[in-house]
Amino acid sequence: IFPIILIVFLASCGSNQEQGSDQESQTQEENTVQSLDFSTDESESSSDQSGGLEASAVPSAERDAKFYFNQGTSSYNKGNYKAGIENFEKVIELDPENVRAYYNLGLGRYKLNNYAGAIESFSYALGIQENDTLSLLYRGLVYYQMQDFRNALMDYSKAIEINPNWAKAYYNRGTTRGQLKDYVGALKDFEKAISLQPNNGEFYYNRGLAYYKLQDVYNACYDWQKAKDLGFQDAEKALSLYCRDQ
């Protein structure tokens, strides 16, 4: 009933900045695969440019880890998740505390539908850095795909606790509450998501679904019309089916 935003963030070696694109799927199953946004290792620069250490002064394991990390991001960008996974596994062998490598490994495993492996990778990342919001959000998504809605809810709630202004986290938690038939809770989460991103048609569409489940057809139709006005095409079907007399 509730679509979810599938956010694909590929982490860089030197930055925790969130970069990526939204994806939509019906009933939280992935219908389309969008390209991955990523940045390469921001810490990598020549000694001539940075005035830093000569390459020979950088430990070999560190150089190799950066090489494999960037190879992994390049493979993911080309859609070759198997090769990317192999590279991130090599990064972890060389740098076992690399949170970004564990996160990216989890992302690749998720893309290949290895949900158990993805949860393991995201959990390792969280074991190193418990406030890693990307790993929380994506582990929540994997739990959702496995229909483990309780654990998904906990991960989204933790992500919101860390970053209370993250619209996508509220939206995804709202979809999870919808699956648990907590429509009042879902409505509150969609309202918060809309307050943070008031021009997102999908948020209005799903708030309309929550209103409809609560038998508030008037507000449901209002939100679906708003979603249509913002360009969310699924809203037109809902309007034609449920709002003819409104």
Side-chain angles (χ1 to χ4, degrees), residues 4 9 27 38 48 57 60 69 93 126 128 133 144 184 195 206 208 236 241 244:
I4 191 171
F9 297 130
T27 62
F38 69 94
D48 291 339
S60 175
F69 196 105
E93 289 178 8
L126 290 163
I128 299 168
T133 53
Y144 191 109
V184 173
S195 73
N206 278 275
E236 188 168 353
L241 287 174
R244 292 177 180 176

Side-chain angles (χ1 to χ4, degrees), residues 43-45 47 52-66:
S43 65
E44 199 171 58
S45 59
S47 58
L53 295 174
E54 295 289 340
S56 60
V58 179
S60 175
E62 183 179 340
R63 292 201 309 271
D64 289 346
K66 290 179 180 179

Side-chain angles (χ1 to χ4, degrees), residues 16 99-100 122 124-133 135-136:
N16 288 340
V99 175
R100 299 297 82 199
F122 295 134
Y124 268 114
L126 290 163
I128 299 168
Q129 185 175 321
E130 63 179 356
N131 290 341
D132 181 26
T133 53
S135 292
L136 281 168

Side-chain angles (χ1 to χ4, degrees), residues 170-171 174 184-198 203-204 206-207 210-211 223:
Y170 284 104
Y171 176 86
V184 173
L187 185 65
K188 292 178 180 178
D189 277 338
F190 294 141
E191 287 175 345
K192 182 63 175 179
I194 288 169
S195 73
L196 294 166
Q197 287 187 12
F203 292 177
Y204 285 97
N206 278 275
R207 190 175 70 173
Y211 274 128
D223 273 355

Side-chain angles (χ1 to χ4, degrees), residues 3-152:
I4 191 171
I5 284 184
L6 305 183
I7 44 181
V8 180
F9 297 130
L10 182 57
S12 71
C13 187
S15 172
N16 288 340
Q17 292 299 310
E18 298 163 12
Q19 302 181 8
S21 53
D22 297 342
Q23 289 174 271
E24 175 212 338
S25 68
Q26 194 65 30
T27 62
Q28 301 212 356
E29 292 180 0
E30 197 164 5
N31 292 332
T32 60
V33 178
Q34 296 183 349
S35 62
L36 297 171
D37 269 345
F38 69 94
S39 59
T40 56
D41 177 18
E42 296 174 359
S43 65
E44 199 171 58
S45 59
S46 70
S47 58
D48 291 339
Q49 294 173 324
S50 66
L53 295 174
E54 295 289 340
S56 60
V58 179
S60 175
E62 183 179 340
R63 292 201 309 271
D64 289 346
K66 290 179 180 179
F67 170 79
Y68 287 123
F69 196 105
N70 289 331
Q71 287 291 104
T73 59
S74 178
S75 294
Y76 277 12
N77 192 48
K78 296 173 183 176
N80 189 348
Y81 300 111
K82 183 178 179 181
I85 286 169
E86 291 173 355
N87 279 293
F88 288 119
E89 287 175 339
K90 290 177 181 177
V91 175
I92 291 167
E93 289 178 8
L94 295 163
D95 184 4
E97 299 295 305
N98 193 315
V99 175
R100 299 297 82 199
Y102 277 112
Y103 165 77
N104 284 349
L105 178 61
L107 178 62
R109 287 173 168 176
Y110 165 74
K111 298 296 288 186
L112 294 180
N113 298 320
N114 179 2
Y115 293 157
I119 286 176
E120 179 184 58
S121 297
F122 295 134
S123 296
Y124 268 114
L126 290 163
I128 299 168
Q129 185 175 321
E130 63 179 356
N131 290 341
D132 181 26
T133 53
L134 286 179
S135 292
L136 281 168
L137 196 78
Y138 245 92
R139 190 175 68 175
L141 176 59
V142 177
Y143 279 133
Y144 191 109
Q145 300 286 23
M146 298 173 68
Q147 298 187 16
D148 185 351
F149 302 124
R150 298 292 179 184
N151 274 319

Side-chain angles (χ1 to χ4, degrees), residues 198-210:
N199 294 320
N200 190 310
E202 190 169 359
F203 292 177
Y204 285 97
Y205 176 77
N206 278 275
R207 190 175 70 173
L209 288 174

